């Protein structure tokens, strides 16, 4: 059966890798420690949007962060208003109350984020169990230790399903330029008001996107666009290369293969 939703990324070879299928909501988990990175969060958001999955930003470690409220406000200010974002202490049962609107019977939620962000901690809190192993982040740079290595499915007492996943090291989007615009809906709708229909929102006059979107967000969008273009170009280039090789092979065979002038001189008897 074809999955209804599929979150996928590209691996280092540019091939599609499915992260998870058939989920209703993606909880994008990010720590309010050194893990905090709005540009990375935008990648995760695009990942969910491209798959047509509702995304909820869950900022963890609010209990250990002095300016949790202002960081949350920053997230809300820079992302489209349609994106829900909340800050929690993943170790406290209050996190379950905060996420109650999405913990509905029959719904499947996946936890995504870097290693050490607190996905397994949250899984345990949401399921009121200690099924998932968790581990402290490294003291120097607060990076995680890749504690979780396989995906696992858990059930909450409300009847929702939670999928805990291993922390991702990199997230290369599996998309092309056109689809990417759809994942940035604030940019897509502002673009309708740019003076030029083919505005790239770079230095054109009368650009509504530049006027209305945070410069860092627009820069990140352009970066993701370049990545998508490069990936698409690579696919075309790969195809061209294969065709070139085939043509060369045909020409070589037409010339008589090994006996042709291009072949190495015959070994002496
Ligand atoms: N104070 C505090 N600590 C937290 C919170 N969430 C997670 N932690 C701690 O952060 C560390 C990493 O948490 P994990 O749940 O193992 O992180 P993970 O995202 O599952 O990491 P990987 O399995 O490596 O991908 C643990 O020491 C947790 O106790 C939080 O909201 N507040
Ligand atoms: Mg984990
Ligand atoms: Zn524009």
């Amino acid at each position: 059966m074809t999955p209804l939703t599929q979150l996928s990324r590209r691996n280092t070879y540019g091939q599609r890798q499915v992260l998870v299928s058939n989920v209703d909501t993606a909880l994008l988990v990010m720590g309010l420690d050194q893990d905090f990175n709005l540009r990375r969060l935008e990648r995760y958001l695009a990942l969910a949007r491209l798959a047509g999955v509702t995304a909820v930003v869950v900022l963890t470690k609010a209990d250990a962060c002095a300016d949790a409220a202002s960081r949350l406000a920053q997230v809300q200010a820079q992302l489209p208003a349609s994106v829900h974002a909340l800050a929690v202490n993943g170790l406290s049962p209050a996190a379950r109350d905060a996420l109650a609107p999405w913990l509905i019977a029959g719904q499947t939620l996946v936890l995504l984020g870097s290693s050490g962000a607190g996905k397994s901690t949250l899984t345990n809190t949401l399921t009121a169990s200690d099924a998932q192993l968790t581990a402290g982040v490294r003291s120097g740079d607060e990076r995680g230790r890749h504690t979780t290595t396989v995906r696992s499915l858990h059930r909450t007492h409300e009847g929702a399903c939670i999928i805990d996943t291993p922390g991702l090291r990199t997230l290369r989007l599996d998309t092309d330029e056109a689809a990417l615009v759809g994942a940035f809906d604030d940019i897509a709708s502002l673009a309708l008001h740019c003076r030029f229909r083919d505005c790239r929102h770079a230095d054109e006059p009368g650009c509504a996107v530049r006027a209305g979107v945070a410069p860092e967000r627009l820069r990140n969008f352009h970066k993701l666009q370049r990545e998508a273009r490069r990936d698409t170009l690579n696919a075309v280039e790969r195809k061209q290369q294969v065709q070139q090789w085939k043509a060369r092979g045909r020409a070589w065979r037409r010339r008589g293969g090994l006996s042709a002038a291009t072949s190495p001189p015959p070994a002496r008897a």
Side-chain angles (χ1 to χ4, degrees):
M1 214 171 75
T2 330
L4 296 174
T5 59
Q6 198 165 64
L7 290 145
S8 61
R9 66 165 170 177
R10 283 179 199 259
N11 65 15
T12 40
Y13 306 105
Q15 296 154 331
R16 170 170 302 165
Q17 184 195 15
V18 176
L19 297 171
V20 65
S21 301
N22 290 331
V23 297
D24 302 290
T25 305
L27 301 183
L28 309 181
V29 183
M30 189 164 81
L32 283 164
D33 50 6
Q34 282 197 43
D35 186 42
F36 187 81
N37 180 328
L38 266 174
R39 308 287 78 88
R40 176 158 26 78
L41 180 60
E42 280 169 340
R43 260 176 209 268
Y44 277 90
L45 258 177
L47 169 78
R49 288 272 161 118
L50 288 165
V53 167
T54 305
V56 179
V57 176
V58 185
L59 303 173
T60 57
K61 312 190 187 185
D63 53 301
C65 175
D67 56 354
S70 69
R71 291 262 181 103
L72 176 62
Q74 196 187 343
V75 168
Q76 284 164 334
Q78 286 204 23
L79 300 182
S82 56
V83 178
H84 288 279
L86 36 99
V88 300
N89 171 3
L91 291 155
S92 152
R96 231 165 65 196
D97 303 331
L99 286 164
W102 296 278
L103 297 172
I104 299 165
Q107 290 283 301
T108 303
L109 297 84
V110 65
L111 295 163
L112 296 170
S114 330
S115 175
K119 300 177 295 298
S120 300
T121 304
L122 204 55
T123 301
N124 287 343
T125 300
L126 298 180
T127 55
S129 80
D130 54 4
Q132 286 301 84
L133 207 65
T134 66
V137 293
R138 299 196 306 215
S139 56
D141 54 10
E142 296 188 330
R143 286 195 182 224
R145 297 169 194 273
H146 291 277
T147 312
T148 307
T149 53
V150 289
R151 275 178 303 190
S152 58
L153 185 71
H154 309 261
R155 194 175 281 272
T156 73
H157 76 263
E158 297 91 349
C161 286
I162 307 276
I163 302 174
D164 187 17
T165 64
L168 297 180
R169 284 191 169 84
T170 55
L171 176 56
R172 187 163 149 196
L173 294 175
D174 175 28
T175 183
D176 57 35
E177 265 187 277
L180 185 69
V181 185
F184 280 73
D185 43 355
D186 50 343
I187 293 181
S189 53
L190 281 169
L192 300 173
H193 303 287
C194 291
R195 187 177 304 163
F196 301 110
R197 268 188 63 189
D198 60 349
C199 183
R200 288 167 296 115
H201 328 303
D203 45 17
E204 297 91 337
C207 173
V209 172
R210 263 199 343 269
V213 173
E216 306 89 338
R217 178 168 167 79
L218 184 55
R219 241 195 323 272
N220 198 31
F221 170 71
H222 279 139
K223 184 172 178 220
L224 294 173
Q225 236 183 354
R226 282 195 300 276
E227 279 183 22
R229 200 176 308 145
R230 204 169 48 223
D231 281 341
T232 336
L233 261 183
N234 281 346
V236 173
E237 279 168 359
R238 265 200 304 277
K239 215 166 154 183
Q240 277 173 348
Q241 197 177 43
V242 170
Q243 276 163 355
Q244 228 169 46
W245 280 109
K246 280 187 179 166
R248 271 189 213 162
R250 276 196 301 272
W252 183 72
R253 279 194 299 276
R254 258 201 314 274
R255 287 198 303 267
L258 275 175
S259 63
T262 49
S263 61
R268 278 190 212 154

